[in-house]
Structure formats: C-alpha cells, structure tokens
Amino acid sequence: MAEKSIVQLIKNFDLKELQPVVLVYGSEDFLKKQLVDKLKERADVHIFWGDETTYSQVKEVFASSSLFSDGNIAVIFDFDAFLSKISKDEQKQLIDLVKNFSLPDRFFLISNKEKLPAKEPYKTIKSVADIVVSQKLTPKAFAISIKKKLEREGKEIDDETLKYLVSKLKNDLWYAKQEIEKLLLYTSDKKQITKEDIDAAINPKIEENVFVFLDKFFAKDKDAVRIFRQLIETTHHPFEIQSLLLGQINRLLLFRTYIEKGKPTETAFSLMNVKHPAMKGSIQKQASKTTTRELIQLIKDLYQLEKNQKINYLDINSSLEEFILKRVLQ
C-alpha cells in the first residue's frame, strides 16, 4: 500500500478516507501529535503510551461498543515499546486483531522507527493498514512553514533575518512552536521582526548530543567528559550546559520525590507536565542512575560552582569540566 505524507494528511484530514488501521512512522514527533489532535477534534479517542500499556488494555477497548461515537478509536504512541513489552502469544493475537480489524473501530499505531521492519507484526500491518510517514521537513520547507506562521500573525521578516531565525531552531518543529510563540509575544507591539528581536527572544536549540551527554553524566560514564569538550568546541557556552544540567537535576529530583511519595509513574509525569515519550524515557533512565541524596548534592555543588565562577573568577571551562569529572569518577 502506498505511503501517505503526514503533512498532506493533516492539511486535508478526512477520517472517512483512511483505513481502519493506520501506522504512522518517522522521526518528526510534532507532526504525529498534530495528526492525533486532528483525530481528537472529530471523535473520542483512547490514548495509550507503549511503554506503559498491556495488550489486554488495548483488547478491552475493542471488546465493547462505544457509548459516545460510532466505533472505538485507540492510539498507541511509541508502538515499538509496546511490542517489546508484550509476549509472543500476545503478538500473535495482535496480528489476528489487525487482520480482522474493521469499521467502525479505528486503530492508530505511532512508531518512532525511521524505517519499518519487514518482520511481523509490521509485515501484516503494512498489508492491511494505511502507512503514513512523518519525516523531518526539508530545510526549505521548514523555513517556509516558519515564515507562513509569522505572516499569519501579521508579522514581516526579510529573507536574511528568516535564515538567521531558522538557524536557531535546527529544523525542529516542536521546539520551533515554543520559541516562535515567545518571539510573537516579544514583538507584540511591532510588525517587522529583526535580528535583535530574535537574539532577545529565542534560545538556540541545543543539538542532540547534549542529551547524550546528560545520559552519560548521570550514568557516571567517563565519555561524558569527551562529549562536554566537543560541545564547548562547537560554540556551546559552559553556562548554557550548566543551566541544562541544573534544570535536568531539578526534574529528576521532582520525579523521584513524587515516586517516593507513592505516585504512579504516569501521574508523576502529569504533575510535572511532561508529555513527550522520549523525555519520559530519559527521565526514568537517568533517575534510575541516581539517588535523591546525590541529586540534592549535585544541586548544591552546581550553585557553589557558579558562585566561584562569578565571584572568585574561576575559569568557567575548566571548572565545569572538573565538576563533570568529579561526578563520573564517583
């Protein structure tokens, strides 16, 4: 079955034109969310997260008739994590469910894979479902989408300034949405957007290797030092990395506090307003590598580090590297 573009599907969303089963894959999470939001505008939807969902929960949705709409609709985010959790027998049941799936029920499977495997259950799903690809926009398409958003809000931006703005957002639609909203708020009293406005309102997106650095830092992996040096060499300021560290430590401490008070994992994330599956996974993984006492001590050490940098004029590069080295050698 030919693949559909998620961009076109969002623009011309018509549930009646889709197969009962829809498999969405690719690396652009923002467009996946937009598609599900379109779906939620038209029907009641059961939302599941793959890393926390059992097969019986999914089966139960389709075992009873819907009270409020024609048919039941379920969405599984991070379908790959769901598959890794269920048993071989449940995978066979899932294949049978998909093969025999029919209207008025609908089943949306959201995968993070950039290429779909040929093995089961993907083989069967691909034979009966609509396949929707959600890839990153090309740099040109990304720039056009940013310009159109600004123009819809009554703003003007010249080509050079647009290029400068786009360079800060690193082709990330999710991040761009947050930053453009800040830019619009900052320029609410003017029509023309300038480079100075962008510098004042936009935080440049940190590259993905920063998140690799965070994982290695909390895992006490010595490779964190090497990645830190690379980040400094690629124009990331030490204070930017320190701020990121402090923010993540505070998130981990809050998460551990909720869990230690007996809150379910998903409730803790809801209270923290953490919704993205990848972010949830990172927080859980990093929190498992640290204790509450360690996190509190890291916060104290970071505050002391910044004090010494700003008052005692410690070299910011070498002092932060020493802080990181101390952590990974513990």
Side-chain angles (χ1 to χ4, degrees):
M1 197 170 291
E3 292 184 347
K4 300 178 184 291
S5 162
I6 196 167
V7 174
Q8 293 304 316
L9 188 56
I10 291 170
K11 284 182 179 178
N12 306 295
F13 187 78
D14 186 351
L15 196 55
K16 295 178 181 177
E17 295 295 319
L18 293 173
Q19 295 290 333
V21 180
V22 178
L23 174 61
V24 184
Y25 78 97
S27 57
E28 183 49 78
D29 292 328
F30 181 77
L31 293 177
K32 296 174 190 174
K33 181 180 181 301
Q34 280 196 321
L35 178 62
V36 174
D37 286 344
K38 287 280 187 181
L39 179 62
K40 288 163 67 177
E41 288 174 4
R42 290 161 173 76
D44 296 312
V45 181
H46 299 269
I47 301 292
F48 295 106
W49 298 101
D51 59 342
E52 298 180 351
T53 302
T54 64
Y55 178 71
S56 60
Q57 288 175 307
V58 174
K59 187 170 66 172
E60 185 179 350
V61 169
F62 300 113
S64 58
S65 59
S66 173
L67 296 176
F68 305 108
S69 62
D70 295 329
N72 293 286
I73 302 177
V75 174
I76 300 182
F77 281 101
D78 200 355
F79 179 61
D80 320 296
F82 172 73
L83 288 180
S84 69
K85 281 187 57 181
I86 64 177
S87 67
K88 289 184 179 180
D89 183 60
E90 287 172 331
Q91 282 206 22
K92 290 178 182 178
Q93 292 181 51
L94 175 67
I95 291 170
D96 288 338
L97 174 68
V98 170
K99 285 167 64 175
N100 298 296
F101 209 87
S102 61
L103 296 174
D105 291 337
R106 293 186 180 274
F107 199 9
F108 283 71
L109 312 172
I110 314 295
S111 168
N112 294 325
K113 291 188 179 297
E114 295 198 34
K115 183 178 180 181
L116 292 177
K119 64 182 181 180
E120 294 290 8
Y122 296 96
K123 181 180 178 180
T124 295
I125 294 171
K126 287 191 287 185
S127 70
V128 299
D130 272 326
I131 309 300
V132 179
V133 60
S134 179
Q135 302 291 18
K136 296 285 186 184
L137 298 182
T138 65
K140 181 178 180 181
F142 181 76
I144 290 172
S145 71
I146 297 299
K147 186 171 184 178
K148 285 184 176 179
K149 168 64 175 175
L150 294 174
E151 288 176 342
R152 285 196 299 270
E153 299 294 333
K155 302 297 181 183
E156 295 178 358
I157 186 169
D158 61 56
D159 289 342
E160 280 302 309
T161 307
L162 176 65
K163 184 178 179 181
Y164 182 70
L165 171 59
V166 168
S167 73
K168 301 281 188 181
L169 303 174
K170 304 296 184 184
N171 202 14
D172 187 322
L173 286 172
W174 205 301
Y175 189 77
K177 180 179 183 296
Q178 303 172 57
E179 295 302 304
I180 294 301
E181 287 174 357
K182 285 164 52 182
L183 180 62
L184 290 170
L185 184 62
Y186 183 80
T187 59
S188 59
D189 60 345
K190 58 187 298 189
K191 189 170 186 177
Q192 185 75 31
I193 291 177
T194 65
K195 181 176 178 294
E196 289 71 26
D197 296 326
I198 294 167
D199 287 338
I202 299 290
N203 291 319
K205 185 179 188 301
I206 300 173
E207 299 289 352
E208 286 300 314
N209 52 0
V210 168
F211 299 101
V212 176
F213 161 73
L214 285 175
D215 282 343
K216 291 185 178 295
F217 174 83
F218 289 108
K220 298 183 181 180
D221 187 327
K222 294 178 183 178
D223 204 34
V225 179
R226 178 187 62 81
I227 298 175
F228 165 73
R229 290 170 181 162
Q230 288 181 344
L231 292 171
I232 297 301
E233 290 169 1
T234 54
T235 72
H236 292 295
H237 195 280
F239 282 157
E240 182 181 22
I241 297 171
Q242 280 179 215
S243 177
L244 185 77
L245 271 172
L246 182 60
Q248 192 68 358
I249 292 167
N250 279 318
R251 281 191 200 93
L252 297 180
L253 184 58
L254 185 58
F255 176 74
R256 287 193 65 90
T257 300
Y258 282 135
I259 297 301
E260 288 168 5
K261 288 182 176 179
K263 300 288 186 185
T265 300
E266 196 57 36
T267 301
F269 283 131
S270 179
L271 290 169
M272 295 167 64
N273 198 30
V274 173
K275 300 177 181 178
H276 196 286
M279 186 176 291
K280 291 180 180 180
S282 292
I283 290 173
Q284 285 181 288
K285 179 169 65 174
Q286 293 165 12
S288 72
K289 304 291 185 181
T290 56
T291 66
T292 300
R293 180 177 294 181
E294 283 180 312
L295 291 169
I296 293 171
Q297 188 60 52
L298 282 171
I299 291 175
K300 290 179 179 178
D301 291 346
L302 265 178
Y303 278 124
Q304 186 62 46
L305 173 63
E306 187 169 345
K307 178 181 176 183
N308 288 334
Q309 288 167 334
K310 294 180 177 179
I311 297 177
N312 299 329
Y313 302 105
L314 285 185
D315 180 84
I316 56 176
N317 284 8
S318 60
S319 59
L320 179 54
E321 182 172 328
E322 185 178 338
F323 170 84
I324 295 165
L325 191 59
K326 178 182 176 182
R327 161 67 187 177
V328 300
L329 292 178
Q330 284 179 344

